């Protein structure tokens, strides 16, 4: 196989993005979204995990006018258009924070720790934010 | 001499709120801002701790920071007062000093 053919060969890897920070208090949540969209643009197999304070990123009804920051939560709803459809949320993290699936802006799969660990094991690349 | 303590970190991620509550004397104020507002929510694993603290301390939470995070007054533990930016200024002025737990 020539070098040119190699470059044309599409390599698809399993990318997992683990989101563990609340939105707005730091730049992690927003930066993660940026990188997720880049991975999707390169047609990679993308999964998003929301655990610990990361579950707060998906809370419905974010209104940021009062704090003068951009409300980036609608982007989570747009992920589907980029073929990013594998969204997983930690059940333990939601329970600890008093959140239920009804609180979330997008449809997600709620997983226990063991399932999340298995999912993580199955990836080629993991980015933690 | 009363102190207004401000806490801006999530109690689920950092120990700032724990440290603050340990050292805040009865009668002082604790204002939850930025990611600190998550400490003011009902139905969390921290609710009991906050309610106990509220017996000796006056607790406040900054409304604009709550709303940015998709939370409204309905989710806030009863007895915690929601203040706006002007209220924040008044609290700072009404206390002798401000201790910002970062």
């Amino acid at each position: 196989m020539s070098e040119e053919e190699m470059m044309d060969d599409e390599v698809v890897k399993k990318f997992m993005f683990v989101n563990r920070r609340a939105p707005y208090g730091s730049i992690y949540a927003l930066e993660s979204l940026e990188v997720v969209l880049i991975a999707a643009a390169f047609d990679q197999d993308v999964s998003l995990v929301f655990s610990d304070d990361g579950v707060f990123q998906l809370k419905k009804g974010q209104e940021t006018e009062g704090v003068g920051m951009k409300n980036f939560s609608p982007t989570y709803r747009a992920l589907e258009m980029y073929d990013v459809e594998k969204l997983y949320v930690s059940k333990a993290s939601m329970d600890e924070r008093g959140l239920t699936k009804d609180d979330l802006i997008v449809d997600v799969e709620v997983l226990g720790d063991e399932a999340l660990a298995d999912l993580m094991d199955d990836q080629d690349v993991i980015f933690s934010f | 001499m009363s102190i207004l303590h401000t806490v801006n970190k999530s109690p689920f991620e950092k120990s700032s709120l724990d440290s603050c509550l340990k050292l805040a004397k009865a009668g002082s104020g604790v204002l939850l801002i930025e990611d600190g507002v998550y400490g003011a929510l009902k139905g969390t694993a921290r609710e009991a701790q906050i309610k106990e603290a509220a017996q000796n301390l006056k607790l406040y939470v900054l409304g604009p920071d709550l709303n940015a995070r998709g939370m409204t007054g309905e989710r806030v533990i009863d007895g915690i007062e929601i203040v706006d930016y002007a209220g924040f200024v008044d609290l700072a002025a009404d206390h002798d000093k401000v201790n910002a737990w970062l």
Side-chain angles (χ1 to χ4, degrees), chain A residues 20-26 53 56 59-64 66-67 95-99 103, chain B residues 10-14 34-35 38 41-46 64-65 67-71 75 85:
Chain A
R20 297 184 48 249
R21 310 288 183 115
Y24 309 115
S26 72
D53 276 355
F56 286 133
K59 177 70 179 65
K60 269 182 198 162
Q62 299 177 28
E63 286 174 12
T64 58
V67 294
D95 290 349
E96 195 186 3
R97 288 159 185 79
L99 294 180
D103 285 311
Chain B
S10 162
F12 304 105
E13 192 194 2
K14 296 256 160 61
E34 300 171 18
D35 284 350
Y38 294 123
L41 302 179
K42 278 180 192 162
T44 79
R46 292 307 192 107
D65 283 333
N67 298 339
R69 290 160 179 79
M71 305 295 175
R75 311 271 308 210
Y85 287 115

Side-chain angles (χ1 to χ4, degrees), chain B residues 6 8 26 29 37 42-43 46 49 54 60 65 72 91 95 99:
Chain B
T6 65
N8 78 335
V37 301
K42 278 180 192 162
R46 292 307 192 107
Q49 177 196 17
Y60 308 89
D65 283 333
T72 57
L91 284 174
H95 290 76
N99 183 4

